[in-house]
Amino acid sequence: MNLEPLNPDLIVMQNFQPIRLKDIYRARKRIAELAQRTPLIHSSALSERLGSAVYLKLENLQPTGSFKIRGAANAILALGPTEKSRGIIAFSTGNHGRAVAYVAGRLGIQAVICLSQRVPAYRVNAMQKLGAEVIQRGNSQDEAYGYALEIQEKRGLTMISPFDDPLVIAGQGTIALEIIEDLPDVTTVIVPVSGGGLISGIALALKSISPDVAVNGVSMDCAPAMYHSLKAGKPVEIEEKDSLADALLGGIGLDNRYTFAMVRDCVDRIHLVSEGEIAEAMFFCLTQQRLVIEGAGAVGVSAVLTDKIQDPGSATVIVLSGGNADVAALLQIANRLPMP
Ligand SMILES: *Cc1c(COP(=O)(O)O)cnc(C)c1O
C-alpha cells in the first residue's frame, strides 16, 4: 500500500523553523564524541532486486545498536549544568531508553527510563545493565508516558523526548550528512517511520542540500500511527498491536509539535509492510548480508523486496535503523523460512 504523494507541491524546506540545516551541522559536532559515523555499504543482492544500485546505512553498528544515540546525545549534551545534576527521564519502546541510559552513563548523569509492560525483557535488561533506573508501567507507550510525566514532576527531572524535539530531530538528521558525503549522487533514501524523528531530520537535511532526492518512509501495516495521522490531516491515536517491528510501536502524540508537519511537508511517500514481509527482510539481512537487523530496522528492505519503490533513480540508500533483534525470534524466523 502506498500513500499518494504527501505533498505534490513539495516546498523545499531551506529554513524549516525552528530546525534549520545549520542545527544539524551543529549536532554533528556535538555528538561526535559519543555516536559513530556509520559505514555505507553497497548491497549486490538488493541492487539486483531493485534493478539499480542499493546501499545500506548501518545504524545497527552504533554503540547502543540503533541510531537513537544521535538524537539522545544531541539533546543531553545541550543540557545546562543544573539540569544535568538533577538527572533525566525518558519513556521508550526500548532503543531510545537504551540510548539515553548509555549517554547518561558516559556523562555521569542519573537516568530514569519508563517503559510499558509490552517492552520485551531483553530490552529492559540492556537498559538496566547500563545503570539506568528502569520502571515498567501500563500497557502502551501512552501509559508509560503518563507515568513518566508524574515522576518527572515529583523528582524535578528533565524529559528527553524520543522524537518530537528539535535537538533530537537534528541529531537524527546527521545521518543524512554522512549519506550525502559518502554518496553525493544519491537519488532515493528509504527510512523506517514511527514517531517520525528519524525521517524528519533526514528529510530536512536532504531536501535542503539536494532537493531532488526522494525520501520514502516505511511503517508496519498493523499500527502505522504516522500514516493514519497524515491521512486524517492531524495526529490520531491508534491501538497498539504486537509487531516484529516493536521499536516502531506507539503514537505520534496528539500534541505533536514538529514531526507531523515535517513528515507531511518534507517526505515524498509512506509505504506499509506486513509482518510476513518484515520477517522475510530480517531473514534476508541475516542470510544475504550477514547482518542481524531488528524488525523496525528491516522495513526498508521489506519495501524493496516487495517492489514498493518505483523509479528509484541510480542510487538508493536504505537506512538500517537498528540491530537489537530478539535473537530467539530471529532464530524462529530462520527455522521457518527456506534457506536460500
Ligand atoms: C525508534 C526507531 C525507529 C523509528 O524512529 P522514529 O524517529 O520514532 O520515527 C526506527 N527504527 C528503530 C530501530 C528505532 O529504534
Side-chain angles (χ1 to χ4, degrees):
M1 197 194 312
N2 295 0
L3 199 66
E4 284 310 294
L6 295 176
N7 180 354
D9 311 307
L10 187 79
I11 305 159
V12 177
M13 297 285 139
Q14 289 288 4
N15 271 303
F16 191 102
Q17 296 289 351
I19 308 163
R20 291 145 302 174
L21 184 59
K22 73 175 183 208
D23 296 317
I24 300 179
Y25 280 103
R26 211 172 273 156
R28 170 150 77 175
K29 250 192 212 151
R30 197 183 278 137
I31 69 176
E33 57 177 299
L34 289 168
Q36 293 290 314
R37 187 188 210 290
T38 55
L40 185 73
I41 63 164
H42 178 259
S43 166
S44 303
L46 285 164
S47 299
E48 203 172 296
R49 290 296 289 257
L50 190 64
S52 63
V54 176
Y55 300 81
L56 303 173
K57 180 67 172 161
L58 302 185
E59 288 299 302
N60 57 305
L61 297 183
Q62 289 290 358
T64 60
S66 87
F67 72 91
K68 288 239 173 47
I69 188 171
R70 295 177 186 259
N74 195 39
I76 295 168
L77 286 165
L79 295 176
T82 316
E83 292 163 310
K84 281 180 180 157
S85 69
R86 283 196 187 139
I88 56 181
I89 184 163
F91 66 101
S92 166
T93 51
N95 283 334
H96 174 62
R98 187 162 170 166
V100 168
Y102 174 84
V103 172
R106 289 283 302 269
L107 300 176
I109 297 171
Q110 297 273 8
V112 179
I113 314 293
C114 288
L115 308 168
S116 87
Q117 314 271 15
R118 300 174 72 92
V119 174
Y122 76 95
R123 291 193 186 273
V124 178
N125 294 340
M127 285 174 248
Q128 282 166 334
K129 267 195 200 139
L130 289 168
E133 179 186 346
V134 177
I135 302 175
Q136 271 188 292
R137 279 289 166 92
N139 276 315
S140 70
Q141 272 290 97
D142 289 342
E143 286 178 49
Y145 175 52
Y147 194 66
L149 287 177
E150 264 179 49
I151 298 183
Q152 175 195 19
E153 195 170 347
K154 223 185 281 170
R155 300 200 203 165
L157 306 172
T158 300
M159 180 76 76
I160 307 296
S161 158
F163 55 84
D164 201 28
D165 174 279
L167 288 164
V168 172
I169 294 167
Q172 322 305 27
T174 59
I175 293 172
L177 304 182
E178 296 172 11
I179 291 173
I180 293 226
E181 282 164 4
D182 289 351
L183 191 67
D185 295 330
V186 57
T187 51
T188 294
V189 176
I190 307 173
V191 186
V193 177
S194 173
L198 174 62
I199 199 168
S200 291
I202 289 178
L204 176 68
L206 286 175
K207 299 284 183 185
S208 305
I209 298 169
S210 195
D212 292 336
V213 177
V215 180
N216 288 248
V218 188
S219 297
M220 71 298 207
D221 66 5
C222 68
M226 182 62 83
Y227 177 88
H228 285 305
S229 298
L230 291 165
K231 281 193 113 169
K234 62 175 200 294
V236 293
E237 270 181 68
I238 55 155
E239 196 192 330
E240 269 193 26
K241 305 261 175 65
D242 284 328
S243 173
L244 273 174
D246 60 293
L248 299 185
L249 290 175
I252 69 166
L254 292 180
D255 54 351
N256 188 290
R257 294 177 63 192
Y258 305 103
T259 60
F260 173 74
M262 290 182 75
V263 173
R264 184 191 60 204
D265 296 346
C266 302
V267 172
D268 296 277
R269 270 164 202 278
I270 305 260
H271 309 275
L272 299 183
V273 295
S274 70
E275 292 301 302
E277 289 164 355
I278 297 170
E280 296 254 1
M282 291 171 76
F283 187 64
F284 186 94
C285 290
L286 185 66
T287 54
Q288 306 293 310
Q289 305 293 153
R290 297 300 196 254
L291 290 173
V292 171
I293 302 297
E294 62 182 281
V299 295
V301 173
S302 307
V304 169
L305 293 179
T306 54
D307 301 322
K308 292 194 170 60
I309 308 300
Q310 302 296 318
D311 305 320
S314 58
T316 296
V317 172
I318 305 176
V319 177
L320 298 183
S321 53
N324 295 324
D326 179 1
V327 174
L330 188 57
L331 290 177
Q332 255 179 18
I333 290 169
N335 279 326
R336 218 169 47 224
L337 294 171
M339 275 291 166

